[in-house]
Amino acid sequence: MRIRATVSSVVQSMTVLVPIFADQLSRRLSSLMNAKKEVTLVLMMEVEDEASNVWHHRRKLVFLFSAMRHFAQELREAGWAVEYVRLNDKANTVSFSGEIKRLAGMHDVERVQVTEPGDWRVDQAMRGIGEELGIPVRIMTDDRFLTTKAEFREWAQGRKQLRMEYFYREKRRQTGLLMDGDNPQGGEWNYDSENRKPAKGDLFMPQPLGFEPDAVTSDVIEMVLERFPDRFGEVSDFRMAVTSTDAGKAAGHFMSCALESFGDYQDAMLEGEAFLYHSILAPYMNAGLLDPLELCRMAETAYREKRAPLNAVEGFIRQIIGWREYVRGIYWLKMPDYLDGNFLDARRPLPEFYWTGATRMNCVSQVVGQTRKHAYSHHIQRLMITGNFALLAGIRPQEVHEWYLAVYADAFDWVEVPNTIGMALFADGGVMASKPYAASASYINRMSDFCGACHYDHGARTSDTACPFNALYWDFLARNREKLENNPRMKMMYRNLDRMDDLDAIRSRAVYVLDGMSRGVI
């Protein structure tokens, strides 16, 4: 049944239009919490401009469209009038602005009320639409986050370095999570040093909780396959949660089955194991199906009840109230210019193997293949495999950002821009990271089993089968010396570079690798 059919009899009396976007699927949304059902029309939209602004993974589109349709139904059952515009509706104007204008005219809307969008581009459109419509537009704070934009600006003001660790400690104090009075539980703020164990294939790997597609999801899958036949990504065996109820079940499953070992192995990578002990809850948080602070409380309870160790729980909480809040703050503090950052003057185009996985570098092939299948890879795979290679090879940051934004189900602009421009590629010149996260094959070999089955030799630098990461690592240091050698955390690397007697051969190997990359033969 078409969702819009339910509004026709009551919409005449409604004067407030409340647009809700795909990352706002929460009953606690400020624009809903401050609206009266009897005078409000909720508008939800599937639009081509957003589905195709980058080459979004088909699994991501299925997840978001299905979650949106389920949320619309949930609102209707709770008594809200909902106008839902599907992607293939004939009247669809293909953009958020177009649909808001169209529906405002159809229903004689007197005011638009919207929770601030998470995307700078959409936020700007919402701020300009009132003048076009000739009616007020009320943009409300997204209080699902712990830190407002103004609060982050105040925190950042006057600081020479905007390091996440100091921000995170303030969030711990603010929330009381893992605190013992005024002190951190266990005496340390951060247990990251305990969370770097390589995993072995004989470990028991719990799988994330999955859910069979219902009729709504099945319809979305059919639509996405028909509408985007050539789009990246698989949708077979789609089992993601698309409701807050099922997302809550997935969270409970993680807390009881995987949190205990999450800390130890959160940096590990294993061939054929896409998930290890990771929660796979980020898509649900970022879409609004789960409340981040509630997840942190659940993890803290697991620690208090001795069901999970401190290093695991602290690491999980840090990713949410520390890193997640911090990158959002950086995004809104620095946009729109932040996206144009290119401190290292990286100009090479994104290699085709980021889409196909067709490379003899087993680590890259494994991560891209996993991404194609699941619209997921964990943070170390993103940072130290695909991000590290892009950094070493000098790939244009904006192309890398668009790839990450497209291929991961949890990727929205506010989280992906800082993670790519700042963390992975050092394109912001050190706003976020104290040094580039550059590494040779030795790191990948230590933290994964990818190298054992690789065509390339992880221990070689100049031979015909030397791992490309090795030559590119030293070439990266050499070609960026002027910009990086005075960085205190890079001095040892440059001392090692100066002691090398085969640097010319290494750099020649790097030229060969980069040429092969452009020709698709690496």
Side-chain angles (χ1 to χ4, degrees):
M1 182 174 68
R2 293 174 65 84
I3 296 173
R4 67 172 57 191
T6 65
V7 304
S8 58
S9 62
V10 292
V11 75
Q12 299 301 321
S13 64
M14 298 189 182
T15 59
V16 180
L17 184 68
V18 177
I20 295 179
F21 305 114
D23 57 347
Q24 298 181 340
L25 309 182
S26 170
R27 296 275 290 276
R28 300 178 184 177
L29 198 67
S30 58
S31 53
L32 284 178
M33 296 290 286
N34 291 276
K36 297 179 179 180
K37 291 179 182 178
E38 61 271 19
V39 295
T40 298
L41 174 62
V42 174
L43 171 61
M44 299 183 67
M45 305 156 278
E46 301 169 3
V47 296
E48 182 67 33
D49 277 4
E50 301 305 314
S52 299
N53 67 324
V54 295
W55 211 37
H56 289 293
H57 196 298
R58 290 187 292 188
R59 186 174 294 257
K60 179 181 184 180
L61 293 177
V62 170
F63 163 60
L64 292 175
F65 288 158
S66 181
M68 288 170 64
R69 294 184 185 190
H70 281 90
F71 185 65
Q73 184 62 31
E74 180 183 334
L75 290 179
R76 291 168 58 216
E77 291 171 356
W80 293 93
V82 179
E83 183 83 35
Y84 194 99
V85 182
R86 297 191 178 195
L87 193 67
N88 50 10
D89 283 352
K90 292 182 178 180
N92 193 323
T93 60
V94 312
S95 73
F96 288 149
S97 296
E99 286 307 290
I100 291 171
K101 293 174 192 175
R102 182 169 72 88
L103 271 296
M106 285 173 57
H107 300 298
D108 196 25
V109 169
E110 294 183 5
R111 184 176 84 245
V112 174
Q113 181 166 292
V114 61
T115 296
E116 56 188 359
D119 185 312
W120 186 88
R121 172 179 49 84
V122 179
D123 183 78
Q124 293 301 297
M126 292 303 101
R127 294 183 186 279
I129 202 169
E131 187 173 332
E132 297 180 47
L133 289 172
I135 61 175
V137 175
R138 183 185 183 193
I139 299 179
M140 309 187 71
T141 297
D142 191 345
D143 53 17
R144 297 174 300 158
F145 292 89
L146 298 177
T147 310
T148 67
K149 299 172 186 177
E151 287 169 343
F152 192 86
R153 282 195 300 270
E154 183 178 353
W155 174 82
Q157 189 172 8
R159 292 178 182 267
K160 293 182 179 179
Q161 295 181 326
L162 303 179
R163 297 292 176 251
M164 189 277 291
E165 181 65 27
Y166 306 116
F167 173 81
Y168 165 58
R169 294 180 186 185
E170 290 195 14
K171 295 296 107 177
R172 286 274 294 277
R173 294 186 183 100
Q174 175 187 336
T175 61
L177 288 163
L178 294 180
M179 294 297 292
D180 182 9
D182 294 330
N183 300 311
Q185 192 72 44
E188 301 290 339
W189 291 102
N190 186 318
Y191 290 89
D192 203 34
S193 60
E194 298 181 23
N195 296 343
R196 296 168 183 165
K197 296 179 182 177
K200 296 181 179 179
D202 59 356
L203 288 170
F204 169 72
M205 301 292 178
Q207 294 299 301
L209 189 64
F211 306 88
E212 288 298 322
D214 62 7
V216 172
T217 300
S218 296
D219 285 347
V220 173
I221 290 172
E222 183 178 349
M223 180 193 74
V224 168
L225 289 174
E226 180 179 349
R227 187 73 175 254
F228 306 105
D230 301 321
R231 188 66 68 85
F232 178 83
E234 301 175 15
V235 295
S236 59
D237 193 31
F238 181 90
R239 292 173 57 81
M240 295 181 70
V242 291
T243 67
S244 58
T245 298
D246 284 348
K249 293 177 183 178
H253 178 80
F254 165 72
M255 298 294 172
S256 61
C257 298
L259 176 60
E260 181 180 6
S261 296
F262 164 74
D264 288 350
Y265 303 111
Q266 67 172 289
D267 286 7
M269 299 173 281
L270 281 179
E271 188 168 335
E273 293 289 349
F275 307 115
L276 284 85
Y277 298 94
H278 290 271
S279 72
I280 329 299
L281 299 177
Y284 308 146
M285 279 191 288
N286 292 352
L289 300 180
L290 290 178
D291 181 86
L293 186 56
E294 286 185 3
L295 289 178
C296 292
R297 300 288 186 206
M298 291 173 67
E300 182 185 43
T301 297
Y303 168 71
R304 302 291 184 194
E305 296 178 353
K306 302 186 185 306
R307 292 183 284 111
L310 183 57
N311 69 304
V313 173
E314 186 278 318
F316 179 77
I317 288 174
R318 176 161 29 92
Q319 287 192 357
I320 296 176
I321 70 167
W323 193 252
R324 184 174 185 269
E325 294 278 331
Y326 169 77
V327 297
R328 178 178 181 264
I330 291 290
Y331 178 83
W332 287 108
L333 181 69
K334 297 295 184 179
M335 283 294 282
D337 295 339
Y338 194 74
L339 184 54
D340 297 327
N342 195 353
F343 176 72
L344 299 176
D345 197 31
R347 301 293 176 186
R348 291 186 178 86
L350 188 77
E352 184 66 18
F353 57 68
Y354 272 70
W355 297 106
T356 65
T359 171
R360 290 179 291 184
M361 293 181 289
N362 189 46
C363 60
V364 175
S365 180
Q366 288 291 322
V367 173
V368 172
Q370 175 186 312
T371 298
R372 174 183 287 276
K373 184 174 182 180
H374 300 291
Y376 169 80
S377 67
H378 70 68
H379 65 287
I380 293 299
Q381 293 171 313
R382 300 186 200 192
L383 178 64
M384 302 308 298
I385 302 295
T386 50
N388 183 27
F389 185 87
L391 173 68
L392 300 181
I395 298 172
R396 185 172 177 268
Q398 291 70 30
E399 291 191 41
V400 183
H401 156 65
E402 289 183 1
W403 183 78
Y404 280 122
L405 183 61
V407 302
Y408 291 118
D410 59 3
F412 291 91
D413 211 53
W414 65 266
V415 68
E416 210 55 64
V417 171
N419 270 303
T420 306
I421 300 298
M423 190 67 173
L425 302 181
F426 205 69
D428 65 0
V431 171
M432 287 179 62
S434 58
K435 71 174 185 65
Y437 276 82
S440 66
S442 60
Y443 174 88
I444 299 169
N445 184 55
R446 183 168 69 252
M447 296 307 301
S448 78
D449 63 354
F450 293 153
C451 298
C454 189
H455 166 81
Y456 294 108
D457 180 357
H458 67 84
R461 298 190 298 208
T462 60
S463 69
D464 290 344
T465 58
C467 176
F469 279 86
N470 291 336
L472 291 179
Y473 173 76
W474 295 108
D475 182 66
F476 168 82
L477 293 177
R479 73 175 184 268
N480 290 295
R481 181 164 200 150
E482 184 177 340
K483 293 182 178 180
L484 298 177
E485 68 174 337
N486 291 325
N487 183 314
R489 296 193 64 194
M490 302 288 289
K491 289 188 178 299
M492 181 176 292
M493 301 172 190
Y494 278 102
R495 284 197 293 269
N496 291 337
L497 182 74
D498 290 339
R499 287 195 289 265
M500 298 175 70
D501 57 11
D502 59 347
L503 184 58
D504 288 343
I506 291 172
R507 299 201 70 185
S508 294
R509 170 67 177 166
V511 170
Y512 175 83
V513 168
L514 293 171
D515 178 65
M517 179 185 76
S518 65
R519 293 186 290 109
V521 296
I522 291 299

